[in-house]
Amino acid sequence: MMSATAGSGANHRMTGPVIVMVFLAVAAAVIVGIGAGELGWSTLGVIAALPVVVAVFYQPFFGVLLIAATIPTENILNISGLGVGRAIGLLVFATWFVQKIAARRSWQRVVSGAYFPAAMGFLVWVLASMLWAEHLPVVRTGFIRLAQMVALALIIIDLADSRKKLDLIAKTIVLSSLAAAGTTLWQYEILGLRRAGADIAGGINDTAILLVTVIPLGFYVLRTGGTFWRLVGTLFIGVATVSVVTTFSRLNLLLLPPLLGLLYVLTIRERPARKWLLAVTIAGVAGAALFVPWDKLRERADTIDAYVDQTMRFGAAQ
């Protein structure tokens, strides 16, 4: 009797907060709807961004996590043509740089090690290539993009000063990339696009490159995470693999098999991860059977030889 009473009391204690949370969620949705109608989505977005600005100012590492969460879906998250990820990146860089100067914090972590001189030398080389490049706008755009990535890497080197923080960044990227992979698969299966991946992490090839790049992090999460994160890693590897196929990006179709093979060999050596590799294998077989368009894949594969030959000839001509 006492047990039943205790259980009933626990249920009441759990029901109260749930009702409050549901009420707050509904109230927030109503407020957002009214605000969007009265002020417009852009103005509402600016207002909503103010707490984010304050949080990033006081804790720049929070901004790094936001960047990691928005890069995989950079082209989806746009406000009046400005990517949310890019806006957050500018905010994080400005905050980090100002705090470095104003508080006179050490630059030792940033400039020490081999990365800084190697990155600076590479950027100088790219910039110098504008002297003989035939397509200056392409080189200029590439240089700006590379400079942004170098700046982000330096910020991560400085702020992610522990393995725990690096682990959190990796998990955030995998989770957000799972959303990008799912959106890619949705474009192909539901919207019926001939090639999926447009306007997610950029163009179709950009989305494929992102997914292939993050797959090693998926295996990392599979090896080192708890049960939840290993499930996320398993799901991401399966969905990302099929999604890359649906982009029909020839370069990434070439990279995908050896990458998966290498990561599979490295992971199977660790006993705790072997059962999860079995789950990845089952998910991969199921995904291949249900979603991979084998006839279209064969047609695309038949053009790879001509693609490689054309690329080699173009490189030789340069």
Side-chain angles (χ1 to χ4, degrees):
M1 187 71 176
M2 291 178 62
S3 175
T5 303
S8 176
N11 288 336
H12 282 300
R13 287 194 298 271
M14 292 178 64
T15 304
V18 169
I19 293 175
V20 172
M21 290 179 65
V22 170
F23 174 78
L24 291 175
V26 173
V30 172
I31 292 172
V32 168
I34 294 173
E38 294 293 329
L39 303 175
W41 285 107
S42 298
T43 305
L44 192 64
V46 171
I47 295 173
L50 292 177
V52 176
V53 173
V54 174
V56 170
F57 180 80
Y58 282 100
Q59 184 52 264
F61 181 72
F62 174 70
V64 173
L65 293 180
L66 286 179
I67 294 173
T70 53
I71 284 178
T73 53
E74 183 177 1
N75 277 38
I76 297 177
L77 303 172
N78 275 278
I79 298 177
S80 297
L82 177 64
V84 173
R86 185 167 300 179
I88 293 174
L90 292 173
L91 172 64
V92 171
F93 176 78
T95 301
W96 171 77
F97 188 78
V98 168
Q99 288 185 354
K100 276 286 187 184
I101 299 299
R104 297 183 180 181
R105 295 176 180 174
S106 173
W107 293 84
Q108 182 64 28
R109 286 183 59 86
V110 178
V111 300
S112 63
Y115 175 79
F116 182 77
M120 293 301 104
F122 181 69
L123 286 178
V124 169
W125 174 254
V126 174
L127 189 62
S129 69
M130 295 179 65
L131 297 175
W132 61 80
E134 294 183 5
H135 305 285
L136 287 179
V138 175
V139 177
R140 191 180 301 114
T141 301
F143 173 78
I144 293 173
R145 191 171 184 85
L146 287 170
Q148 291 173 340
M149 291 193 298
V150 168
L152 176 60
L154 292 175
I155 293 173
I156 292 175
I157 289 172
D158 190 44
L159 297 180
D161 52 1
S162 67
R163 184 179 179 86
K164 184 177 180 180
K165 288 182 178 180
L166 290 172
D167 181 74
L168 189 57
I169 291 173
K171 289 175 178 176
T172 302
I173 292 174
V174 170
L175 192 59
S176 56
S177 296
L178 176 59
T183 304
T184 304
L185 193 57
W186 173 75
Q187 284 185 350
Y188 188 83
E189 293 293 331
I190 306 300
L191 300 184
L193 299 184
R194 187 176 65 88
R195 292 182 62 192
D199 292 326
I200 297 176
I204 293 174
N205 291 330
D206 295 324
T207 300
I209 289 171
L210 174 110
L211 295 177
V212 169
T213 303
V214 178
I215 282 176
L217 291 181
F219 276 88
Y220 164 77
V221 170
L222 189 73
R223 295 196 310 269
T224 62
T227 301
F228 170 77
W229 286 108
R230 286 180 169 176
L231 284 171
V232 170
T234 300
L235 186 60
F236 168 72
I237 294 168
V239 176
T241 300
V242 176
S243 296
V244 170
V245 173
T246 62
T247 66
F248 297 101
S249 173
R250 289 173 292 195
L251 174 61
N252 293 285
L253 289 176
L254 287 172
L255 290 173
L256 192 60
L259 176 65
L260 290 174
L262 175 62
L263 293 171
Y264 200 98
V265 170
L266 293 175
T267 306
I268 203 171
R269 297 165 59 184
E270 301 183 18
R271 187 180 298 273
R274 289 177 184 173
K275 63 179 181 180
W276 292 98
L277 274 182
L278 177 61
V280 168
T281 304
I282 294 173
V285 171
L290 293 174
F291 302 112
V292 172
W294 292 103
D295 52 341
K296 295 181 180 179
L297 181 60
R298 281 190 289 269
E299 291 177 6
R300 190 65 169 172
D302 289 339
T303 67
I304 288 180
D305 287 340
Y307 167 74
V308 173
D309 182 61
Q310 181 183 3
T311 303
M312 296 294 290
R313 282 187 293 173
F314 178 78
Q318 297 299 311

